[in-house]
């Protein structure tokens, strides 16, 4: 019954013991001079200069990269800073000068002075909004719109300090006031510039939402298919093919969206504006899918095979295993993937410029044109006067993009670590 | 009193062209523990995994011969693998609880079988954990992550998870190889308890363990079943020289 244990002492008698030679001894039994011996000399602390240097170098590079990121943010914000300081005073003095104007007075000096348009002023103006929520200004200003001659259409101002009379002949720099950043109009190059960021922010969020709603499920399910269902050869084909798309220039995607997708989608959904948030969103989803797919796929691949085996051995089908074991276990990775995707969409400029229509409209309708934050910088930065209010506001937008991305990451990190993990994976004791 | 449960007839198994099992035939009995021993790569784990068709998942494999469970060939074309695996629980070498709470680990099996009533699930959780002798240790923290348990507890949780779907046969692939002697002792105690209700097939590298827990032992070598018989006989008076040498540790 009991097995016989062979102890080391017994090995000799069983003749299993090979004659062993100590490695430090040469055949004559003399000590090898190179052999390691425990002396105070051999164990003395050594200075390893190359190791020290490389360690410091790596530390230095790490700090440098962090410093660069901080400096970029600092620079962007510094350029945006002037709008918080001196410009305000000037505008206040101007405001007092124009004060005699009354609100709600629709019939007054009919001197209509057509505005001169800069090249990239948004063309499709918000007709409906202009009518509904305007504060009537004193003087009738010719609406910033081509081909609408009536004087009856009133300008919306967005904030109250400005009466917008053409008499005042204000220059853009002089009319700026901080609160105008919260205005509902973005018209930086009109005669009476308005820097309301709200339509830009809403537009960006709208496009991002559409894009991520489209991209995330597709990419995650594609990754799940690739990991859990696809045969080996197919997986080896899908992954590189999709990853190649990640390096696809966004200008090409934008071009494709502009020329082909916009027309096709319009034919299907039958909306009015050809280029709008929906088209832009779907085009940006194309850019985000490869990123989400790759990161998701990697995180799913990292899940031990034994998880799926355990599930299958319990009599789960393959899709049950994929959805209830693989997917939940990969949640943190999937979350990171979606965040990366959102970051990509958020900062996407070229596709936004080409496919969203670039009109800063404030509406919830996904089929209206929008203008995103990134596209605004991309379109206007080249033509702006250096040091101008417009210039500073554009940098402020840049800083906003930074802050948004950062906040998004922070919130998600907190949420994933806190709630979601607990929910899916149980409390950590 | 011995009831025939599993019978293999000329079972051969191939990984591609490589023969991993060569014409293995023997019987395993209900409510008994059968141990499979042999050196690494001898085919015992492969044999175990043919019993619940886990090897189907590996591309390029092929099975010849028959495995009859209760007289039914499980490699028959009409056999539904998913339902088959519900009847045959499996415990793996490395404990592999899901990254979920203890409660969710146990309810996973019943849930995929369509049981969703809270009371029924609660009952299954309690009875499965009790059968696996871990209830007392975890009953106050069922909502905690299973990954926070110790190695031995995790392995017993995996046993409980395998029991949650009411299998008839329990396959164990070196269930205690990564555990310390105390946890191993607990698992072995558990095997004694479990064999009253289940048919247990266990793969082990540990001779003493095979001797302690099993009623029958099969010795595998190089893809062949060298010797099979009552454990006591195999360990005291084996017929084959190879078996004796392996058991006494003189070859491997």
């Amino acid at each position: 019954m009991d097995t016989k244990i062979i102890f080391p002492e017994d090995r000799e008698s069983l003749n299993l013991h090979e004659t062993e030679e100590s490695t430090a001894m040469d055949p004559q039994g003399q000590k090898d001079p190179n052999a390691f011996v425990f002396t105070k000399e051999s164990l003395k602390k050594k200075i390893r200069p190359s190791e020290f240097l490389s360690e410091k170098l790596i530390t230095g590079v790490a700090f440098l990269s962090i410093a660069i990121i901080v400096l970029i943010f600092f620079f962007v914000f510094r350029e945006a800073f002037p709008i918080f300081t001196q410009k305000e005073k000037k505008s206040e003095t101007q405001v007092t000068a124009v004060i005699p104007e009354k609100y709600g007075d629709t019939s007054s000096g009919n001197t209509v002075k057509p505005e001169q348009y800069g090249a990239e002023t948004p063309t499709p103006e918000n007709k409906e909004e202009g009518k509904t929520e305007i504060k009537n200004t004193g003087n009738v200003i010719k609406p910033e719109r081509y081909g609408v001659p009536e004087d009856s259409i009133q300008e919306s101002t967005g904030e109250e300090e400005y009466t917008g009379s053409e008499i005042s002949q204000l220059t853009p720099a002089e009319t700026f006031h901080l609160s105008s950043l919260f205005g509902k109009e973005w018209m930086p190059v009109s005669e009476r510039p308005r820097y309301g960021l709200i339509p830009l922010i809403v537009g960006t969020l709208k496009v991002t939402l559409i894009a991520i709603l489209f991209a995330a499920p597709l990419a995650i399910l594609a990754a799940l298919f690739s990991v859990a269902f696809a045969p080996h050869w197919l997986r080896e084909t899908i992954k590189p093919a999709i990853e190649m798309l990640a390096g696809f220039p966004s200008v090409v995607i934008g071009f494709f969206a502009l020329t082909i997708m916009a027309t096709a989608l319009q034919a299907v959904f039958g909306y009015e504006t050809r280029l709008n948030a929906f088209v832009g969103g779907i085009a940006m989803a194309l850019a985000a899918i490869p990123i989400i797919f790759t990161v998701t796929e990697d995180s799913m691949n990292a899940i031990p095979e034994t998880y799926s085996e355990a599930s299958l051995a319990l009599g789960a089908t393959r899709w049950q295993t994929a959805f209830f074991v693989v997917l939940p276990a990969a949640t943190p990775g999937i979350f990171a993937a979606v965040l990366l995707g959102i970051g990509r969409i958020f900062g996407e400029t070229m596709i936004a410029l080409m496919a969203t229509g670039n009109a800063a409209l404030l509406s919830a309708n996904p089929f209206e044109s929008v203008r995103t934050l990134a596209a605004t910088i991309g379109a206007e930065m080249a033509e702006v006067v250096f040091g101008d209010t417009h210039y500073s506001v554009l940098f402020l937008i840049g800083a906003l993009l930074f802050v948004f991305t950062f906040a998004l990451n922070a919130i998600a990190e907190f949420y994933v670590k806190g709630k979601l993990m607990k929910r899916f994976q149980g409390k950590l004791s | 009193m011995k009831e025939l449960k599993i019978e293999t007839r000329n079972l051969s198994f191939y990984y591609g062209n490589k023969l991993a099992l060569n014409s293995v035939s023997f019987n395993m009995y209900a409510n008994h523990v059968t141990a499979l021993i042999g050196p690494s790569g001898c085919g015992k784990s492969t044999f175990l995994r043919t019993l619940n068709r886990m090897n189907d998942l590996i591309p390029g494999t092929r099975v010849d011969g028959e495995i009859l469970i209760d007289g039914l060939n499980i490699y028959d074309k009409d056999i539904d693998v998913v339902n088959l695996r519900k009847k045959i629980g499996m415990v793996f070498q490395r404990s592999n609880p899901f990254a979920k709470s203890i409660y969710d680990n146990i309810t996973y099996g019943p849930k995929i079988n369509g049981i969703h009533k809270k009371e029924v699930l609660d009952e299954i959780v309690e009875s499965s954990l009790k059968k696996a002798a871990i209830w007392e240790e975890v009953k106050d923290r069922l909502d905690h992550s299973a990954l926070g348990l110790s190695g031995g507890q995790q392995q017993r949780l995996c046993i409980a998870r395998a029991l949650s779907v009411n299998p008839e046969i329990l396959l164990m692939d070196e269930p205690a190889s990564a555990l310390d002697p105390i946890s191993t002792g607990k698992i072995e105690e558990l095997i004694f308890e479990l064999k009253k209700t289940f048919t247990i097939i266990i793969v082990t590298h540990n001779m003493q363990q095979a001797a302690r827990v099993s009623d029958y032992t099969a010795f595998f070598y190089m893809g062949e079943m060298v010797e099979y018989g009552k454990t006591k006989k195999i360990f005291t008076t084996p017929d084959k020289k190879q078996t004796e040498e392996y058991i006494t540790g003189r070859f491997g």
Side-chain angles (χ1 to χ4, degrees):
Chain A
M1 173 71 207
D2 54 9
T3 57
K4 198 172 161 198
I5 299 171
I6 304 168
F7 294 103
E9 299 95 287
D10 304 337
R11 294 180 75 91
E12 208 96 29
S13 62
L14 287 166
N15 230 350
L16 292 166
H17 199 63
E18 303 274 318
T19 47
E20 284 170 29
E21 281 175 22
S22 171
T23 46
M25 307 283 254
D26 68 7
Q28 276 80 44
Q30 278 165 351
K31 282 215 162 171
D32 183 346
N34 294 325
F36 186 85
V37 262
F38 280 88
T39 61
K40 213 169 184 186
E41 199 59 29
S42 68
L43 289 174
K44 210 179 157 192
K45 259 195 183 172
K46 269 184 193 160
I47 299 160
R48 298 178 177 82
S50 60
E51 193 166 309
F52 175 82
L53 272 179
S54 55
E55 192 188 314
K56 293 294 169 220
L57 189 73
I58 292 168
T59 317
V61 169
F63 273 105
L64 188 69
S65 59
I66 294 168
I68 288 174
I69 293 169
V70 173
L71 281 176
I72 292 173
F73 182 77
F74 177 76
F75 173 77
V76 169
F77 195 78
R78 196 198 63 181
E79 293 299 308
F81 195 65
I83 58 169
F84 295 105
T85 52
Q86 78 267 34
K87 294 287 157 59
E88 209 164 337
K89 292 174 201 157
K90 278 188 188 173
S91 66
E92 271 164 15
T93 57
Q94 281 300 330
V95 167
T96 47
V98 200
I99 235 149
E101 296 283 353
K102 282 273 191 281
Y103 296 121
D105 186 0
T106 42
S107 58
S108 53
N110 292 319
T111 17
V112 168
K113 188 186 177 198
E115 291 208 6
Q116 292 300 313
Y117 278 79
E120 35 41 305
T121 312
T123 30
E125 280 300 353
N126 41 349
K127 185 192 274 178
E128 304 86 351
E129 274 178 33
K131 273 174 182 163
T132 49
E133 48 158 298
I134 35 167
K135 303 246 185 333
N136 292 329
T137 55
N139 279 357
V140 178
I141 288 185
K142 168 102 178 166
E144 296 171 356
R145 164 183 291 283
Y146 297 115
V148 184
E150 308 97 300
D151 294 345
S152 56
I153 296 175
Q154 298 301 315
E155 252 326 302
S156 72
T157 60
E159 88 275 347
E160 292 161 21
E161 280 87 342
Y162 303 113
T163 51
S165 142
E166 92 285 353
I167 319 162
S168 60
Q169 297 291 336
L170 303 180
T171 65
E174 286 164 333
T175 58
F176 185 75
H177 189 277
L178 251 191
S179 63
S180 71
L181 287 176
F182 300 101
K184 291 180 181 134
E185 286 197 322
W186 174 261
M187 289 181 195
V189 288
S190 70
E191 180 151 303
R192 199 171 45 75
R194 275 141 294 176
Y195 300 106
L197 295 181
I198 301 295
L200 303 184
I201 292 172
V202 170
T204 309
L205 294 180
K206 200 158 84 174
V207 173
T208 308
L209 189 72
I210 291 167
I212 206 69
L213 282 182
F214 190 72
L218 270 183
I220 293 168
L221 288 180
L224 194 64
F225 168 77
S226 161
V227 170
F229 298 99
H232 189 73
W233 64 268
L234 187 58
R235 187 187 316 173
E236 294 301 300
T237 322
I238 290 180
K239 198 165 153 63
I242 293 188
E243 278 170 0
M244 212 164 63
L245 265 180
F248 215 56
S250 53
V251 67
V252 181
I253 298 178
F255 184 62
F256 172 73
L258 177 72
T259 52
I260 297 166
M261 256 172 54
T263 313
L265 287 174
Q266 192 177 29
V268 173
F269 292 94
Y271 44 73
E272 249 178 78
T273 333
R274 189 167 164 278
L275 297 177
N276 55 42
F278 183 69
V279 175
I282 288 185
M284 286 189 204
L286 292 184
I289 282 173
I291 295 172
I292 303 177
F293 172 86
T294 309
V295 179
T296 305
E297 219 244 8
D298 286 345
S299 73
M300 284 178 178
N301 257 334
I303 291 161
E305 188 74 4
T306 54
Y307 277 31
S308 332
E309 281 194 340
S311 166
L312 291 167
L314 281 169
T317 59
R318 266 160 55 140
W319 78 263
Q320 283 171 328
T321 304
F323 273 91
F324 301 126
V325 175
V326 177
L327 204 58
T331 316
I334 294 173
F335 227 87
V338 172
L339 276 186
L340 275 177
I342 291 178
R344 169 78 207 258
I345 296 163
F346 214 74
E348 180 54 57
T349 309
M350 211 56 214
I351 297 176
L353 269 178
M354 295 171 86
T356 55
N358 276 325
L361 304 183
L362 187 60
S363 89
N365 185 355
F367 299 118
E368 295 254 23
S369 292
V370 293
R371 189 184 188 96
T372 69
L373 292 169
T376 306
I377 301 178
E380 297 172 12
M381 191 57 94
E383 295 167 16
V384 82
V385 180
F386 188 84
D388 185 24
T389 310
H390 189 191
Y391 174 87
S392 295
V393 172
L394 288 182
F395 270 99
L396 183 73
I397 291 175
L400 264 185
L401 283 174
F402 257 112
V403 171
F404 273 7
T405 322
F406 179 75
L408 190 74
N409 275 301
I411 291 167
E413 176 82 354
F414 177 75
Y415 182 72
V416 169
K417 285 262 161 71
K419 290 212 174 132
L420 211 63
M421 296 280 276
K422 218 176 270 175
R423 167 118 182 262
F424 278 120
Q425 311 193 342
K427 280 183 211 161
L428 289 171
S429 38
Chain B
M1 87 172 235
K2 287 193 306 193
E3 184 197 333
L4 181 63
K5 189 71 183 175
I6 309 172
E7 183 183 359
T8 66
R9 289 183 188 160
N10 298 325
L11 183 73
S12 296
F13 188 84
Y14 301 86
Y15 290 107
N17 289 324
K18 189 177 159 280
L19 182 67
L21 284 176
N22 188 6
S23 195
V24 175
S25 308
F26 68 102
N27 301 332
M28 284 153 270
Y29 300 98
N31 300 75
H32 283 74
V33 178
T34 307
L36 311 177
I37 59 170
S40 294
C42 69
K44 56 192 186 316
S45 285
T46 303
F47 176 80
L48 192 76
R49 292 164 66 97
T50 55
L51 296 178
N52 66 345
R53 294 185 59 172
M54 283 302 272
N55 285 330
D56 291 15
L57 303 170
I58 306 166
T61 58
R62 188 161 61 85
V63 179
D64 278 346
E66 289 182 334
I67 296 176
L68 307 178
I69 294 181
D70 291 336
L72 208 69
N73 182 11
I74 60 165
Y75 278 91
D76 208 82
K77 273 180 197 150
D78 311 333
I79 295 287
D80 185 65
V81 187
V82 169
N83 283 333
L84 172 78
R85 292 194 188 127
K86 282 174 190 162
K87 290 278 141 212
I88 307 177
M90 188 164 192
V91 178
F92 296 83
Q93 182 173 0
R94 302 255 311 268
S95 58
N96 54 354
F98 300 132
K100 299 170 187 276
S101 68
I102 294 169
Y103 185 90
D104 287 344
N105 260 280
I106 306 292
T107 55
Y108 177 77
K111 271 184 182 164
I112 57 175
N113 286 320
I115 300 173
H116 289 289
K117 274 194 182 157
K118 181 90 171 63
E119 312 89 69
V120 185
L121 288 175
D122 285 347
E123 211 167 282
I124 291 174
V125 168
E126 185 171 343
S127 71
S128 305
L129 289 172
K130 274 180 176 162
K131 275 188 222 159
I134 192 182
W135 171 251
E136 287 303 321
E137 293 161 59
V138 300
K139 65 179 176 189
D140 298 325
R141 44 172 176 155
L142 292 175
D143 59 340
H144 285 226
S145 171
L147 300 179
L149 297 173
S150 76
Q153 288 173 328
Q154 286 191 9
Q155 192 61 297
R156 277 179 284 149
L157 180 69
C158 291
I159 295 175
R161 184 179 61 190
L163 301 181
S164 67
V165 287
N166 275 324
E168 292 174 16
I169 300 167
L170 199 57
L171 308 177
M172 297 179 140
D173 192 352
E174 298 180 44
S177 68
L179 303 179
D180 69 298
I182 294 169
S183 303
T184 307
K186 282 187 184 164
I187 303 259
E188 287 175 5
E189 281 298 310
L190 184 57
I191 292 173
F192 264 117
E193 278 303 308
L194 292 175
K195 79 172 181 181
K196 292 172 188 160
T197 11
F198 305 98
T199 305
I200 297 175
I201 323 288
I202 179 170
V203 165
T204 179
H205 273 300
N206 184 334
M207 290 315 121
Q208 280 88 348
Q209 186 174 63
R212 279 195 299 265
V213 301
S214 68
D215 303 300
Y216 291 88
T217 298
F219 172 58
F220 280 74
Y221 184 61
M222 302 279 280
E224 301 204 16
M225 209 263 300
V226 177
E227 191 168 354
Y228 170 67
K230 290 227 169 193
T231 299
K232 195 169 180 186
K233 181 169 183 304
I234 297 272
F235 275 85
T236 50
T237 53
D239 292 334
K240 305 257 171 69
K241 185 107 191 344
Q242 257 179 338
T243 315
E244 188 191 343
E245 287 185 343
Y246 181 72
I247 287 167
T248 54
R250 248 178 287 171
F251 118 94

